[in-house]
Amino acid sequence: KQCNRKAADLLGITITKDIKGIDVSEHQGVIDWKKVKASGIEYAVIRAGYGKGNEDKHFVRNITEALRAGIHVSVYWFMYSYTTAMAKAEAEYCMKLIAPWKDAIAVVFADWEYDSINYAKKNKVSPSKNLITAMNKEFCEAVKKSGYTAGVYYNYDYKANHMKLSELPYVNWYL
């Protein structure tokens, strides 16, 4: 994935060429971060956790080893909220979890996507564009209040159909 100039500035990277980055979670298993760095990867967006109070099983190892290897880091939180109060609670838990690495983390991203919609529907909530936008905003405002730079993750479908990006003035992570 490529890094835009604004994100690169936040990551402390000077852009003189294409910058390679990855996003990882426990689903990638145990990662050899020295090999990742040797392959030319310069930044990683690491899943800290998901939902209310669920830490990614490899978060601590991933962030510690990525930093040790000299890789710039950001984190993301996979959201399962279906109310703004739930989004704020998820952000607050995320902030507690990532606190030991506060000075090293460039951006904290809200990640609300298809599985999040399915979870909301299982709980009898059909999230509208307004609600999805409000939950992302609530998460990001809690992140900002904690002194971090906030960001939102989205893909083309979310950009077109599920979020009002004009109401989310945060760093964008677009795939």
Side-chain angles (χ1 to χ4, degrees):
K1 296 172 181 128
Q2 301 300 312
C3 179
N4 68 31
R5 187 165 304 279
K6 182 176 180 181
D9 290 344
L10 289 168
L11 292 167
I13 300 171
T14 302
I15 294 181
T16 57
K17 58 182 174 29
D18 285 342
I19 296 170
K20 293 181 182 178
I22 58 173
D23 62 276
V24 300
S25 71
E26 64 190 48
H27 300 292
Q28 280 71 51
V30 176
I31 297 168
D32 183 334
W33 286 97
K34 288 180 184 177
K35 284 184 181 177
V36 170
K37 178 70 173 176
S39 75
I41 298 297
E42 297 180 51
Y43 75 94
V45 184
I46 300 168
R47 184 175 80 164
Y50 56 93
K52 186 179 178 192
N54 299 294
E55 180 179 340
D56 184 287
K57 292 175 186 168
H58 293 295
F59 170 67
V60 171
R61 183 184 189 291
N62 281 337
I63 195 165
T64 302
E65 294 303 313
L67 290 167
R68 185 175 288 139
I71 296 171
H72 300 279
V73 299
S74 288
V75 300
Y76 73 96
W77 191 266
F78 193 97
M79 298 171 67
Y80 281 106
S81 54
Y82 49 87
T83 69
T84 55
M86 289 174 74
K88 183 177 181 181
E90 288 185 30
E92 289 170 350
Y93 185 83
C94 178
M95 297 304 96
K96 288 178 188 172
L97 179 63
I98 68 175
W101 300 277
K102 185 172 186 172
D103 293 338
I105 295 170
V107 183
V108 178
F109 290 98
D111 181 8
W112 203 96
E113 51 184 287
Y114 302 112
D115 208 35
S116 310
I117 287 177
N118 294 336
Y119 184 76
K121 287 181 178 180
K122 285 179 187 174
N123 286 280
K124 309 220 184 315
V125 175
S126 293
S128 65
K129 192 175 201 175
N130 287 338
L131 178 57
I132 294 170
T133 301
M135 289 185 295
N136 275 271
K137 186 172 187 171
E138 189 72 30
F139 185 97
C140 288
E141 286 301 310
V143 167
K144 282 178 57 179
K145 187 177 177 182
S146 295
Y148 295 86
T149 299
V152 292
Y153 163 83
Y154 57 93
N155 59 30
Y156 179 79
D157 180 40
Y158 270 73
K159 178 181 180 181
N161 301 307
H162 299 285
M163 298 172 124
K164 294 180 179 179
L165 292 176
S166 63
E167 295 179 22
L168 298 169
Y170 311 105
V171 175
N172 284 230
W173 174 19
Y174 174 77
L175 297 178

